[in-house]
Amino acid sequence: MLEVKGATFEVNGQHLLKPLEHRFEEGKVYGLIGHNGSGKSTLIKLLAQQQPVTRGEVLLDKRPLHDWGKREFARRVAYLPQHLPSAENLTGHELIGFGRYPWHGLLGRHSSRDKAAIGRAIELSHTEAFADRLVDTLSGGERQRVWLAMLLAQESRFLLLDEPLAALDIAHQMEVLSLIRKLCDELKLCVIIVLHDINMGSRYCDELLALHSGRVLAHGSPEAMMTDTNLEAIYGLPMQVMAHPNGKHRIAVAC
């Protein structure tokens, strides 16, 4: 598991993340919610070893993150940043193949195991149609699926996704989240995802963590978190919660 034990993050004496305690277990999708600047991206970067904690610690399988080598860590934890690197002149298959870097290095040739992992990632993500196309020519939703396939090729147990739905229309948002939900259930992955749409979190996540001013304001199942009082405290405006027409989850609207 990934465990946060009193971790904080400061810049020039300013607390961007206040002491935080939480455990993230495999087989669940966790949604980080809250307004802009609440600490969501800061937390996921600490979990991904993209920036060091100021105080406290983050543990992976009971070992502090700083004890893990970069490639050793990447075999267990995969991170997709908010602003994706350039994939210029890369086909989908080539990009997905980069997910094997933690296993054989940058210049290593793909072994039969690597090729099998890439093929499995393509199959699981249903990206066969994009394998020979340039990534830059794909739509937003198609591109996100290829990047997710790259993470799957990495064969990590934890997927950390920082706003993967940014700039996607609602159809592609649901497509990507449905795929994430399916992969979590089938592969027993731990997925931690930064979300802005509370209704998407309610529909697809097992647990929601609401951050406000650098601290966890509340956390729990979507059913427990989706109340008028909780959401007004999180977002700072009156919200009304009601049952979705399908009856399977709750939705919220601003009053």
Side-chain angles (χ1 to χ4, degrees):
M1 69 177 71
L2 268 172
E3 186 174 6
V4 185
K5 300 186 71 175
T8 69
F9 184 70
E10 301 174 20
V11 175
N12 297 326
Q14 181 181 2
H15 285 76
L16 300 184
L17 196 68
K18 297 171 183 177
L20 190 150
E21 304 272 344
H22 204 78
R23 295 195 303 178
F24 300 92
E25 301 176 351
E26 294 173 55
K28 292 184 178 182
V29 177
Y30 296 85
L32 305 184
I33 61 173
H35 60 77
N36 290 340
S38 60
K40 303 184 300 296
S41 290
T42 298
L43 173 56
I44 209 165
K45 286 176 181 176
L46 294 184
L47 296 173
Q49 258 195 330
Q50 296 298 302
Q51 53 197 25
V53 298
T54 304
R55 295 183 182 83
E57 59 184 355
V58 179
L59 307 177
L60 172 61
D61 294 340
K62 300 183 179 180
R63 285 174 54 192
L65 294 195
H66 57 72
D67 283 354
W68 292 83
K70 288 186 177 180
R71 284 174 57 185
E72 182 189 24
F73 180 77
R75 292 174 184 176
R76 293 161 177 80
V77 180
Y79 169 62
L80 195 64
Q82 181 179 348
H83 302 292
L84 297 175
S86 173
E88 188 176 0
N89 297 323
L90 289 176
T91 65
H93 191 280
E94 289 169 335
L95 178 61
I96 294 166
F98 282 146
R100 298 305 298 166
Y101 164 74
W103 299 93
H104 64 68
L106 186 60
L107 301 178
R109 297 182 62 181
H110 284 164
S111 66
S112 58
R113 176 181 172 179
D114 295 322
K115 293 175 182 177
I118 293 168
R120 179 170 177 264
I122 291 173
E123 181 180 356
L124 286 168
S125 59
H126 305 294
T127 49
E128 294 90 345
F130 315 135
D132 296 322
R133 291 179 58 186
L134 291 174
V135 174
D136 287 348
T137 67
L138 302 176
S139 70
E142 293 168 346
R143 192 178 300 117
Q144 287 294 69
R145 282 169 59 187
V146 171
W147 280 100
L148 282 172
M150 187 196 74
L151 301 191
L152 292 175
Q154 197 169 322
E155 294 188 304
S156 302
R157 293 159 29 213
F158 296 85
L159 304 186
L160 312 182
L161 313 175
D162 192 354
E163 297 192 38
L165 308 183
L168 296 185
D169 60 41
I170 189 169
H172 283 117
Q173 289 181 26
M174 294 184 67
E175 176 187 343
V176 170
L177 283 174
S178 295
L179 175 59
I180 290 169
R181 179 73 263 174
K182 181 173 182 285
L183 293 171
C184 176
D185 293 339
E186 291 183 358
L187 304 179
K188 302 306 177 186
L189 304 174
C190 173
V191 182
I192 305 172
I193 179 171
V194 174
L195 291 170
H196 281 293
D197 189 331
I198 184 61
N199 292 323
M200 291 295 185
S202 174
R203 181 167 185 159
Y204 292 102
C205 294
D206 297 297
E207 185 174 338
L208 299 174
L209 278 79
L211 281 86
H212 191 287
S213 303
R215 65 185 179 89
V216 174
L217 186 65
H219 67 89
S221 67
E223 183 178 8
M225 292 285 288
M226 292 288 285
T227 69
D228 300 355
T229 302
N230 279 345
L231 297 187
E232 182 170 357
I234 294 166
Y235 294 106
L237 74 164
M239 305 281 281
Q240 182 177 354
V241 176
M242 62 194 76
H244 188 277
N246 67 17
K248 295 180 180 180
H249 62 280
R250 296 176 180 178
I251 58 175
V253 295
C255 297

